[in-house]
């Protein structure tokens, strides 16, 4: 299956005339369609809600789109809470799922009225001592062992630092009830970027069984089951996307089989998807600025791993399109590389592509989640802009590119910049 950008070469030339490369470009139309498709798949559950994982794309304009579509947000830190509050999320719009959590994070989450998802049994007393116990609270479950789908090991929860054992869940629920909690949720995250339609239904079955057991043992009022994230996207052209309608129906079947007969048929289903919601709807736009011919053929671009860490960090595959040359023969073998002083700063290795000339625009696909969000400043590299391609075809700069003044902002004692430049005054 061909993998083509959501933006034409003609439109991309217009956009790059306004915004210098490199930058991340997002497709508003695609984002909204994905949100609506997810909600349709789980419409059988009246309380269903998607809590968008802020860590995937922590950009206010993206969060505003999610808010307008009725989503909540999943936060994992103080600053993500602050960002979400600034966009207008509050109360049960916010799920706070963190680990090794500082006291001030819990205090602010309580001030916002967020739903707190406790990662460990010891955090019960820590929360009580620092911020107090809310009436509604969630606990994160780790089943341990290996997680299998169709006899294949998908991941090893027993090696993960997250969540509680079942025995700890029982103890946490009992202790929380004594401290004033009245309503409970159960959360778990077992697999990252799963392409299997079976993942959510299997996870749901596990959590539904846990919910029934916990209710029987503790008498807790279980209000929601949070399936968290983990649904992946097809990074490679030959991969098939997850069938979200089938996933939703399979979760419904598990719900009808386990939850309803045990008196839990009113519990809401929550998700905390990030990659699935945004990944395919963002691309990194970069320009070919150099070519190098030694033992291999290299194309140097003006982006680097500081703009997209995943290939260097995980050896992750991201498809590359040479804009305007989609139908030209793919008869050249290139490494596409950035300018970091690290040999793993490569967006593609031994990739068959059309002939690339200096000035060509390259579209690096599927960067809408964990792309700009994972940017950094090694080698003094500056993070690029983020641009939104709106439904009406216009564009909006939703995060400007960093400047040297931004890079040096925490070094003000060096007096590198005049006071008026630091303060942004004219």
């Amino acid at each position: 299956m061909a993998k083509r950008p959501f933006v034409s070469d003609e439109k991309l030339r217009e956009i790059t005339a306004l915004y210098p490369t490199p930058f991340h470009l997002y497709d508003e139309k695609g984002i909204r369609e994905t949100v609506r498709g997810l909600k349709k798949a789980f419409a059988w559950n009246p309380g269903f809600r998607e809590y968008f994982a802020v860590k995937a794309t922590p950009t206010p304009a993206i969060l505003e789109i999610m808010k307008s579509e009725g989503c909540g947000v999943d936060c994992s830190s103080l600053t993500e809470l602050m960002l979400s509050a600034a966009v207008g999320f509050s109360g049960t719009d916010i799920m706070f799922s963190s680990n090794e959590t500082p006291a001030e994070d819990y205090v602010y989450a309580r001030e916002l009225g967020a739903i707190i998802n406790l990662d460990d049994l010891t955090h019960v007393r820590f929360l009580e001592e620092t911020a107090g116990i809310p009436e509604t609270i969630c606990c994160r479950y780790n089943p341990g062992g290996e997680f299998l789908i169709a006899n294949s090991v998908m991941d090893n929860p027993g090696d993960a630092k997250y969540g509680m054992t079942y025995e700890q869940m029982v103890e946490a629920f009992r202790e929380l009830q004594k401290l004033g909690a009245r309503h409970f949720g159960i959360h778990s995250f077992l697999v990252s970027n799963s392409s299997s339609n079976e993942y959510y239904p299997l996870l749901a079955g596990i959590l539904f069984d846990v919910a029934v057991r916990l209710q029987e043992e503790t008498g807790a009022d279980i209000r929601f089951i949070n399936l968290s994230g983990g649904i992946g996207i097809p990074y490679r052209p030959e991969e098939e996307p997850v069938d979200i309608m089938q996933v939703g129906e399979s979760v419904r079947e598990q719900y009808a089989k386990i939850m309803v007969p045990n008196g839990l048929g009113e519990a809401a289903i929550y998700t905390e998807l990030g990659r699935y919601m945004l990944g395919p709807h963002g691309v990194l736009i970069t320009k070919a600025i150099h070519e190098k011919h030694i033992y291999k053929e290299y194309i140097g671009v003006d982006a680097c791993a500081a703009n997209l860490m995943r290939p260097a960090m995980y050896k992750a595959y991201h498809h590359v399109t040479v804009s305007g040359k989609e139908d030209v023969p793919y008869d050249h073998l290139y490494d596409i590389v950035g300018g970091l002083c690290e040999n793993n700063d490569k967006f593609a290795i031994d990739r068959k592509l059309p002939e690339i000339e200096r000035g060509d625009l390259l579209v690096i696909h599927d960067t809408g989640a964990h792309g700009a969000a994972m940017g950094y400043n090694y080698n003094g590299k500056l993070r690029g802009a983020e641009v939104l391609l709106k439904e009406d075809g216009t564009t909006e700069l939703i995060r400007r590119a960093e400047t040297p003044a931004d890079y040096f902002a925490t070094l003000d004692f060096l007096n590198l910049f005049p006071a008026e430049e630091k303060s942004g005054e004219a």
Side-chain angles (χ1 to χ4, degrees):
M1 182 176 66
K3 198 174 182 75
R4 290 184 175 261
F6 55 74
V7 60
S8 68
D9 179 64
E10 180 182 8
K11 185 64 178 179
L12 190 56
R13 299 287 167 182
E14 292 179 15
I15 296 171
T16 53
L18 297 172
Y19 313 108
T21 57
F23 58 84
H24 287 270
L25 179 68
Y26 304 100
D27 175 27
E28 180 182 8
K29 181 174 182 290
I31 295 168
R32 292 188 183 275
E33 287 175 351
T34 295
V35 175
R36 293 167 190 175
L38 176 69
K39 292 172 73 174
K40 182 179 179 181
F42 285 89
W44 55 266
N45 182 260
F48 173 77
R49 197 171 194 195
E50 155 67 2
Y51 285 82
F52 174 67
V54 175
K55 58 181 169 287
T57 319
T59 304
I62 300 299
L63 300 186
E64 286 170 354
I65 291 173
M66 293 299 174
K67 189 172 188 294
S68 72
E69 293 289 341
C71 297
V73 283
D74 164 47
C75 299
S76 59
S77 68
L78 177 65
T79 46
E80 287 184 359
L81 287 168
M82 294 171 68
L83 178 61
S84 299
V87 173
F89 292 96
S90 63
T92 56
D93 293 338
I94 303 171
M95 185 75 61
F96 184 53
S97 300
S98 62
N99 67 96
E100 313 311 330
T101 310
E104 57 264 33
D105 293 31
Y106 278 142
V107 169
Y108 188 54
R110 289 283 281 125
E111 288 176 4
L112 293 176
I115 301 172
I116 293 174
N117 181 25
L118 293 177
D119 183 64
D120 188 70
L121 175 60
T122 62
H123 294 184
V124 173
R125 286 293 175 181
F126 186 78
L127 177 63
E128 195 273 332
E129 293 167 0
T130 57
I133 302 297
E135 284 197 356
T136 299
I137 198 160
C138 185
C139 290
R140 185 170 185 168
Y141 174 60
N142 183 329
E146 293 179 337
F147 183 67
L148 304 176
I149 294 180
N151 296 320
S152 297
V153 177
M154 297 300 294
D155 215 327
N156 193 334
D159 284 344
K161 68 176 182 175
Y162 308 109
M164 310 182 204
T165 67
Y166 177 76
E167 293 74 19
Q168 289 174 333
M169 292 283 285
V170 171
E171 187 175 347
F173 272 41
R174 286 174 174 162
E175 189 169 354
L176 285 163
Q177 285 174 306
K178 292 176 183 176
L179 294 172
R182 296 291 176 262
H183 314 298
F184 291 82
I186 302 171
H187 171 286
S188 192
F189 178 88
L190 301 185
V191 173
S192 179
N193 195 37
S194 172
S195 60
S196 172
N197 292 331
E198 298 178 56
Y199 169 54
Y200 254 17
L202 285 171
L203 173 61
I206 291 170
L207 293 185
F208 295 164
D209 282 332
V210 167
V212 170
R213 292 168 62 194
L214 281 170
Q215 185 190 54
E216 290 174 349
E217 290 195 49
T218 69
D221 175 26
I222 297 174
R223 292 290 182 92
F224 64 87
I225 305 295
N226 189 335
L227 301 178
S228 189
I231 295 181
I233 60 173
Y235 284 100
R236 296 175 182 269
E238 66 272 16
E239 294 174 343
E240 292 291 331
V242 168
D243 184 341
I244 199 64
M245 292 303 296
Q246 180 183 326
V247 169
E249 173 59 19
S250 297
V251 173
R252 186 199 65 77
E253 291 171 359
Q254 293 278 46
Y255 189 92
K257 183 174 71 173
I258 301 170
M259 297 286 278
V260 174
N262 287 283
L264 290 168
E266 299 297 318
I269 300 296
Y270 296 159
T271 57
E272 293 175 349
L273 295 165
R275 188 194 317 262
Y276 177 79
M277 307 305 288
L278 253 293
H281 309 307
V283 291
L284 174 60
I285 306 300
T286 184
K287 184 181 294 184
I289 58 173
H290 290 291
E291 55 186 270
K292 184 169 184 172
H293 316 282
I294 48 173
Y295 306 105
K296 300 180 75 172
E297 296 293 301
Y298 295 94
I299 295 295
V301 295
D302 57 4
C304 66
N307 305 107
L308 178 63
M309 185 192 292
R310 295 187 74 254
M313 186 174 185
Y314 303 120
K315 299 189 186 303
Y317 179 95
H318 280 265
H319 198 65
V320 177
T321 295
V322 184
S323 188
K325 296 184 178 181
E326 292 87 347
D327 299 315
V328 173
Y330 283 49
D331 54 4
H332 284 63
L333 194 67
Y334 292 118
D335 282 13
I336 308 298
V337 301
L340 285 188
C341 297
E342 297 291 340
N343 196 45
N344 66 351
D345 183 17
K346 298 177 179 179
F347 295 113
I349 299 173
D350 294 330
R351 188 77 59 88
K352 277 289 189 73
L353 291 165
E355 183 177 11
I356 300 174
E357 302 170 277
R358 280 184 290 174
D360 279 347
L361 293 173
L362 275 62
V363 180
I364 302 178
H365 291 250
D366 302 312
T367 70
H370 311 293
M374 296 176 73
Y376 58 101
N377 291 125
Y378 179 58
N379 272 179
K381 294 292 186 178
L382 303 175
R383 285 169 283 205
E386 293 176 80
V387 178
L388 181 66
L389 177 60
K390 303 177 81 170
E391 288 186 292
D392 63 4
T394 61
T395 57
E396 179 184 351
L397 182 66
I398 57 176
R399 190 190 298 269
R400 66 165 173 80
E402 289 182 334
T403 67
D406 296 319
Y407 180 79
F408 291 114
T410 56
L411 301 174
D412 285 349
F413 64 90
L414 293 179
N415 199 29
L416 291 170
F417 296 98
E420 63 271 14
E421 186 172 343
K422 291 184 219 172
S423 65
E425 297 172 358

